[in-house]
């Protein structure tokens, strides 16, 4: 029987109606579909049952049972039209009841909705929109997850509508529904539900997908913390399937890194740890997610936060991303530091951008430290990555950056940041301690010495802060010490010094260290023996210092240790380590001279730290000293015994001067009953002796004191021949001369030691005693001077020698042992700062200074005055050389070294007497009388000008040393207070200076205005050019530390000097021009450079224009100074182009951020970026104007080559800037700013076209000078730089053409087609056959065969066709809008022949490279 006929029959029979209970019973009994359901007339009754059940007191179960039963019956034959209609009506009714909260939203409702889901395809397609609309309207009412159950139906409904042909514009309806969903404010439940169902939605376009992700992350802030990991996991699953990966990854890291950053609770940390594990797992499944994370960090540093760091550290545990993830973190951190350092020093960058870079570094530091601090909160899997990153940063930090970090604005610096990371790991994770120590050991042994020092400083930090945990790793430290003899000397010495604090807790480690030092003393390498000697001294000093430490600190620390460590930690050092190691130190007395010096200075430190040990030290040194001192002889010192010879070479075996210096210092530290002056001498150095040393006398100390007095007396009474003695060795006169010079070198040091003792006594002596000491001082200075003359050491070499702490025997003679340089390299000064100060005061007194009227007029004084007049020149020369040596050698000792305070003290106290001496030398013995004594002045080595020059060098070095410390302000204030110099505009400037509130700035400004500028003017008037150059350097050193508003005034002053003085010295001219440019803030610096370049063009001349001798506007530019000033201006342009290199990289970063639309608050940031970009274009335009003058000059070959290379680099940056102006596909194109258009116009008019002419002239000169010597190498060099320049120019023009097309503006309307090329050959006219042969062999460029030339000619047809194509393109609307004529359109495009030749140029250049 036909089914349709059966149904029709049944309808005609009108089956009896069923109640809701009957329907439930039928569904449960699995009976066939009742005939009643097939009738459309039954639908209202069936729906009324649903409504009635919904109105009951507990509708959840009744509604669910009835609806599920009805759906189960419909599901038996859903293809019937009547049942599909019933299904549609039932779904609409149930949706209306659910959305109106007619039934509870619970498990029953969820079960019902799940029954609807598989039947949705049987709902009439035209009815689906009526079902979707109430669901969408219900979205604002959703509060929790149960309310969102109905949304399970939404994705399938939308997919059915989109794919249905019955519904017109179904896709448009779906998009409108999705837009409505995105417009609604999502509640907590809606967020969770949308994330779970979005994967079933129709495919979303990128815009709606991004909006969806934004809505999710906005709503996540309202979710409960326990819901976040599941949401993130679902988002990662979506991203792994290609659902806007970058936005998902970015949203996750920014949500937990920024929005959740303030909620730093333990629960939040645990949630973040779970999320990290989800990310790690997702990256393993889909590696592209890891690439998105690293790309996000690389694209913009603003995405850097603590969670980003944690994600990268977690991702690095995936083998594929181990190196790349670590590299991304390292590069981001180093880039932040470098950008800040550059921005801080760059004057043309806006201040708000400098502050932004500073904040970036602080954010990066805080992010890394927070990620490390939270590593123990459910994220222990990233601990190995943290350790790896920290050591990578330590290897990247060099000594220079470590010193610079101290001066940064509250920043840690790379090294300190890495050390803090490892300290945190060491404290928080026991499992990391073994690896940290093992890595330290491995890297100290494998890295370069400079990199190893950072690791050793880390080890020292761990020893200082965590001594008890470090005791567990003594075995590893002992293994490290085993390599002591194979390390670099500096590394070995520093390693022992950082382990010293640990030795007082471990006798085993101390004994092992001593054993290693004993072995090292027998090594052949000098550096290892030096390191071992220093380490032994440090061991002894550590013992002495530990005894003086507060025992309460030790007890308090030991209370924290475990009972198993008590015996190891509480041991008493016991005994005296100096006595135990005296045998080892005794061996040092038979080593080379440099080892002895280290030991002598170490013994000085020992007596300084513990004066009570002075007696033992004297007893130790006395037998050795007696080898070189004989009390029963007329000449007490046996200086000849200090010098030895081997294989015809002379070397110093015993540094007797260093030994006497150390003895004299130790005598000052020991009270002596015989002398009154020694009791008070130490007070003048700022030290006082402890009471424990005031009782008793030391026999060895008395012997040394007596010997020192006898030596001092004998040196006054003996002649040089008597002191040196007659040599017993036979040999050549050259050998004897070398030996005598070495002896003289040692003796000069001894004299300096005696002079230091005399100067120490001089300060506290009475007037009568003071005159005797001054007389003795003069005699020893005279002896020192005669010693230099006798040894054949000129004053010039003395000055150079004093520039180093000490000279070497090799410096005095070519036949001296070169190993002698090791004896004196890095040697300390024999003078104390107070001693030099006292000698300077004596010199000023002898030169009749302002306090000369206070000196008593006695007969002795009259005699002294007559003698000092003759000796004043020697005194000045000596004290200035000693001062220069002393100031320069102050950098030998570290700040924490106890000898630094002892010897160097307050260096700034030398400033005022040096300035007084400079003023006297400038104005004393009447400069005007020098012309009458010109012949005599040339013979006088100690001439007044030489002394002035040396004094200025001393002052410059002192300012340089103090500028890196906090003493500069005090030094300048002291010198300003005694300055009597006057400047023409000093009164007006002084009134302005008084307004300055900052004391540091005011002192710098006053010193420049009241001291340096007057000195500059007076010495320039006297044509003392070398001295003027030194003063210019001092103005530069101090002026660069001033803010722009103050330094600009000094730059304007330097410009006025350039305009008003014709200076014939090239060095002085260069120094003044550098002042004018460097002290002028942008844009004035390049404006000055433009003016100078124009004047240089007139003086140097150009093609067709004769040069002038002197510039009218800038007389400093003349025929003698033009070459140097030319190089000076080019160097300035090179620095600006280097700045542009950094600037273009930042523009690229900004462009990447704009392209990827990184979701940050970009309002303020975008404005700073635009300001940066707008500042860059005028600066590049100023460079164009400067270079335009140079391309017109008649430059020599070297300068021309430099110019070409600078121009190539400049065009490379211009091309990059033009490329970045072109918006990528899918982004909005921004119209070029007026400043950019002006830059393009100026470049085309003033630089590009003249550059082609410049290259053309250069090639003509090459052809004319083809036979000259050296022309081949020069042409080869130019053949490398000229093609590069042409390529960069055409690359720049290529991007301008592309930018012109997309912006509809002709940027190349001022450009002209070029014809000059680097490979163009200019044939000689009337060339002889021999000339042609020589010319053919002169250059590889001219080896081109005739076939190649013919091939190039045959390319003409193709070139014509290409030119027609380009001509057609030139008639496009984009060009026609702005071009003035058809010729301009053609000129605005590159020649097709040029494009082909350009390819050939690049290939040739690569071959040559």
């Amino acid at each position: 029987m036909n089914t349709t006929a059966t149904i029709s029959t049944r309808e005609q029979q009108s089956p009896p109606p069923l109640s809701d209970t009957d329907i439930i019973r039928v569904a449960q009994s699995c009976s066939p579909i009742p005939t009643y359901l097939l009738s459309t007339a039954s639908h209202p009754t069936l729906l009324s049952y649903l409504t009635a059940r919904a109105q009951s007191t507990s509708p959840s179960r009744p509604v669910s049972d009835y609806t599920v039963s009805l759906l189960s019956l419909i599901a038996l034959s859903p293809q019937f039209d009547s049942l599909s209609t019933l299904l549609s009506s039932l779904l609409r009714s149930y949706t209306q009841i659910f959305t109106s909260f007619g039934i509870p939203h619970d498990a029953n409702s969820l079960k019902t909705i799940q029954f609807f889901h598989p039947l949705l395809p049987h709902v009439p397609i035209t009815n689906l929109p009526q079902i979707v609309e109430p669901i969408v309207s219900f979205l604002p009412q959703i509060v929790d997850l149960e309310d969102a159950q109905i949304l399970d139906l939404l994705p399938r409904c939308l997919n059915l509508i989109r794919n249905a042909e019955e519904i017109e514009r179904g896709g448009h309806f779906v998009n409108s529904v999705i837009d409505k969903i995105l417009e609604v404010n999502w509640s907590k439940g809606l967020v969770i539900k949308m994330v779970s169902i979005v994967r079933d939605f129709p495919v979303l376009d990128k815009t709606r997908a991004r909006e969806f992700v934004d809505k999710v992350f906005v709503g996540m802030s309202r979710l409960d913390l326990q819901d976040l990991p599941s949401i993130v996991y679902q988002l990662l699953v979506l991203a792994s399937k290609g659902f806007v990966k970058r936005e998902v990854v970015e949203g996750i890291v920014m949500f937990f890194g920024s929005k959740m950053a303030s909620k730093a609770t333990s629960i939040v940390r645990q949630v973040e740890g779970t999320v990290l594990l989800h990310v790690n797992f997702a990256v393993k499944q889909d590696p592209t997610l890891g690439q998105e994370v690293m790309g996000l960090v690389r694209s913009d540093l603003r995405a850097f936060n603590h969670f980003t760091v944690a994600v990268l550290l977690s991702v690095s545990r995936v083998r594929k991303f181990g190196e790349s993830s670590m590299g991304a973190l390292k590069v981001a951190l180093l880039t932040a530091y470098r950008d800040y350092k550059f921005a801080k020093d760059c004057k043309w960058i806006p201040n708000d951008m400098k502050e932004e870079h500073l904040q970036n570094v602080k954010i990066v530091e805080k992010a890394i430290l927070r990620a490390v601090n939270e590593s123990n909160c459910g994220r222990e899997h990233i601990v190995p990555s943290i350790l790896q990153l920290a050591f990578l940063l330590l290897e990247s930090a060099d000594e220079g950056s470590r010193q610079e970090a101290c001066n940064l604005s509250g920043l840690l610096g790379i090294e300190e940041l890495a050390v803090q990371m490892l300290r945190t790991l060491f404290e928080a994770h026991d499992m990391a301690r073994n690896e940290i120590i093992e890595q330290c050991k491995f890297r100290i042994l494998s890295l370069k010495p400079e990199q190893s020092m950072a690791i050793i400083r880390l080890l020292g930090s761990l020893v200082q802060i965590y001594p008890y945990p470090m005791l567990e790793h003594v075995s590893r430290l002992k293994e490290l010490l085993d390599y002591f003899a194979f390390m670099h000397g500096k590394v070995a010495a520093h390693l022992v010094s950082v382990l010293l604090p640990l030795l007082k807790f471990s006798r085993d480690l101390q004994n092992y260290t001593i054993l290693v030092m004993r072995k090292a003393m027998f090594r052949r390498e000098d550096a290892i023996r030096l390191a071992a000697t220093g380490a032994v001294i440090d061991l002894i000093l550590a013992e002495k210092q530990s005894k003086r430490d507060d025992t309460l600190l030790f007890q308090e620390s030991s209370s924290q240790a475990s009972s198993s460590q008590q015996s190891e930690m509480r041991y008493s050092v016991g005994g005296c380590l100096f006595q135990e190691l005296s045998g080892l130190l005794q061996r040092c007395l038979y080593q080379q001279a440099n080892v002895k010096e280290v030991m002598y200075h170490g013994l000085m430190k020992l007596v300084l730290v513990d004066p009570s040990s002075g007696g033992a030290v004297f007893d130790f040194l006395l037998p050795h000293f007696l080898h070189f001192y004989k009390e029963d002889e007329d000449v007490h010192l046996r200086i000849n015994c200090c010098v030895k010879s081997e294989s015809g070479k002379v070397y110093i075996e015993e540094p007797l001067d260093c030994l006497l210096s150390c003895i004299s210092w130790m005598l000052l530290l020991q009270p002596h009953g015989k002398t009154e002056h020694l009791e008070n001498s130490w007070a003048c150095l700022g030290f006082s002796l402890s009471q424990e040393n005031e009782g008793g006398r030391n026999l060895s100390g008395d012997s040394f004191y007596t010997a020192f007095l006898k030596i001092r007396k004998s040196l006054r009474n003996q002649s040089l021949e008597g002191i040196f003695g007659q040599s017993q060795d036979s040999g050549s006169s050259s050998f004897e001369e070398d030996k005598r010079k070495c002896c003289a070198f040692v003796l000069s040091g001894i004299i300096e030691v005696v002079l230091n003792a005399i100067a120490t006594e001089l300060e506290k002596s009475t007037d009568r005693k003071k005159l005797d000491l001054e007389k003795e001082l003069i005699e020893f200075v005279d002896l020192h001077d005669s010693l230099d003359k006798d040894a054949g050491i000129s004053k010039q070499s003395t000055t150079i020698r004093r520039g180093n702490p000490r000279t070497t025997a090799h410096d005095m003679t070519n036949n001296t042992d070169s190993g002698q340089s090791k004896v004196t390299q890095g040697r300390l000064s024999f003078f104390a700062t107070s001693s030099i100060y006292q000698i300077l005061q004596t010199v000023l007194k002898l030169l009749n200074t302002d306090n000369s009227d206070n000196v008593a007029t006695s007969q002795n004084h009259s005699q002294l005055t007559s003698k000092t007049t003759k000796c004043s020149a020697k005194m000045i020369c000596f004290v200035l050389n000693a001062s220069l040596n002393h100031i320069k050698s102050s950098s030998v000792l570290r700040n924490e070294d106890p000898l630094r305070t002892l010897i160097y003290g307050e260096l700034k106290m030398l400033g005022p007497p040096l300035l007084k001496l400079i003023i006297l030398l400038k104005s004393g013995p009447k400069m005007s009388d020098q012309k009458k004594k010109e012949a005599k002045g040339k013979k006088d080595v100690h001439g007044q000008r030489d002394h002035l020059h040396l004094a200025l060098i001393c002052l410059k070095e002192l300012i340089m040393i103090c500028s890196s410390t906090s003493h500069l302000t005090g030094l300048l204030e002291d010198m300003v207070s005694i300055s009597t110099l006057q400047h023409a505009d000093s009164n007006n400037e002084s009134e302005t200076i008084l307004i300055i509130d900052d004391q540091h700035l005011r002192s710098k400004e006053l010193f420049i205005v009241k001291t340096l500028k007057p000195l500059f003017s007076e010495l320039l008037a006297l044509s003392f050019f070398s001295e003027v150059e030194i003063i210019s350097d001092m103005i530069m050193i101090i002026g660069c530390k001033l803010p722009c508003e103050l330094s600009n005034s000094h730059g304007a002053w330097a410009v006025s000097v350039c305009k008003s003085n014709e200076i014939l010295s090239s060095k002085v001219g260069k120094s003044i021009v550098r002042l004018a440019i460097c002290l002028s803030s942008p844009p004035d610096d390049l404006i000055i450079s433009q003016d100078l370049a124009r004047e240089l063009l007139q003086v140097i001349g150009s093609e067709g224009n004769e040069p002038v001798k002197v510039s009218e506007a800038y007389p400093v530019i003349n025929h003698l100074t033009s070459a140097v000033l030319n190089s000076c201006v080019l160097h300035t342009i090179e620095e600006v182009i280097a700045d542009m290199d950094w600037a273009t990289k930042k523009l690229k970063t900004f462009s990447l951020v704009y392209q990827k639309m990184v979701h940050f608050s970009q309002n303020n940031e975008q404005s700073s970026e635009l300001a940066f970009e707008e500042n860059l274009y005028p600066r590049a335009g100023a460079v164009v104007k400067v270079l335009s003058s140079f391309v017109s000059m008649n430059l020599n070959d070297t300068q021309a080559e430099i110019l070409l290379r600078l121009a190539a680099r400049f065009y490379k940056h211009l091309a990059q800037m033009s490329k970045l102006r072109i918006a990528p596909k899918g982004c909005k194109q921004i119209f070029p700013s007026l400043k950019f258009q002006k830059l393009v116009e100026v470049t085309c008019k003033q630089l590009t076209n003249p550059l082609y002419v410049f290259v053309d002239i250069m090639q003509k000169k090459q052809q004319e000078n083809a036979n000259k010597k050296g022309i081949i190498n020069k042409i080869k060099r130019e053949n490398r730089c000229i093609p590069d320049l042409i390529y960069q120019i055409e690359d720049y023009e290529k991007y301008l053409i592309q930018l012109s097309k997309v912006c509809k503006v002709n940027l190349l309307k001022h450009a002209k087609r070029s014809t000059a090329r680097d490979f163009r050959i200019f044939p000689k006219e009337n060339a002889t056959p021999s000339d042609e042969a020589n010319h053919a062999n002169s250059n590889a460029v001219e080896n081109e065969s005739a076939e190649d030339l013919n091939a190039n000619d045959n390319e003409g047809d193709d070139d014509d066709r290409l030119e027609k194509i380009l001509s057609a393109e030139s008639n496009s609307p984009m060009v026609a809008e702005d071009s003035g004529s058809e010729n301009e359109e053609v000129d605005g495009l590159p020649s097709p022949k040029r494009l082909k030749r350009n390819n050939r140029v690049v290939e040739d250049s690569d071959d040559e490279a």
Side-chain angles (χ1 to χ4, degrees), residues 44 49 71 187 299 414 489-490 690 732 872 1114 1271 1296 1325 1357:
Y49 294 155
L71 289 174
S187 62
S299 64
I414 297 175
K490 184 179 179 181
S690 59
S732 62
S872 59
Y1114 287 86
I1271 191 65
L1296 287 181
E1325 298 179 1
D1357 296 338

Side-chain angles (χ1 to χ4, degrees), residues 676-841:
E676 296 179 357
H677 60 273
L678 282 181
E679 293 177 359
N680 298 323
S681 58
W682 199 241
C684 71
L685 296 175
F687 290 86
S688 61
L689 298 172
S690 59
Q691 295 179 355
E692 63 184 25
N693 304 313
E694 293 180 0
R697 291 168 53 185
N698 182 274
L699 296 179
S700 298
D702 291 344
S703 300
F704 272 118
Y705 175 70
T706 304
F708 189 80
L709 291 180
K710 290 183 178 180
I711 292 171
R712 178 170 163 180
K713 182 177 180 181
S714 65
L715 288 177
R716 295 181 66 184
N717 300 330
Q718 293 290 334
S719 63
L720 291 179
E721 292 297 334
I723 297 173
F724 289 150
Q726 299 297 324
S727 175
Q728 302 295 327
D729 299 331
S730 59
S732 62
S733 58
S734 176
F735 177 83
E736 292 297 331
E737 181 183 357
D738 297 341
K739 187 173 182 180
R740 185 178 181 88
K741 287 180 179 179
C742 286
C743 292
F745 177 73
V746 175
L747 182 58
S748 66
I750 296 173
I751 295 173
E752 291 177 6
V753 173
V754 174
L755 284 168
N756 181 61
I758 296 173
T760 304
E761 299 174 22
L762 189 61
E763 182 176 1
K764 296 299 181 181
S765 59
T766 60
D767 290 344
R768 183 174 182 84
K769 185 72 176 294
K770 186 174 292 187
L771 293 176
D772 295 335
L773 290 173
E774 288 176 354
K775 182 178 180 181
E776 186 179 7
L777 186 70
I778 294 172
E779 290 177 356
F780 274 104
V781 169
D782 186 64
L783 177 62
H784 191 279
D785 181 74
S786 61
L787 181 65
D788 287 346
K789 291 180 179 179
D790 181 78
I793 304 173
S794 65
K795 291 301 175 185
Q796 183 180 0
S797 64
T798 302
T799 303
I800 297 172
R801 165 165 73 107
R802 300 306 185 212
N804 271 333
R806 295 285 287 172
T807 188
T808 66
H810 181 69
D811 296 330
M812 295 178 277
T813 175
N814 294 330
N815 297 327
T816 311
D817 185 9
S818 60
Q820 176 61 21
S821 61
K822 301 175 184 177
V823 179
T824 56
Q825 198 170 24
R827 205 169 184 183
L828 302 181
S829 172
F830 290 141
F831 290 96
T833 301
S834 58
S835 300
I836 294 181
Y837 176 82
Q838 198 60 40
I839 299 175
L840 280 170
Q841 294 292 350

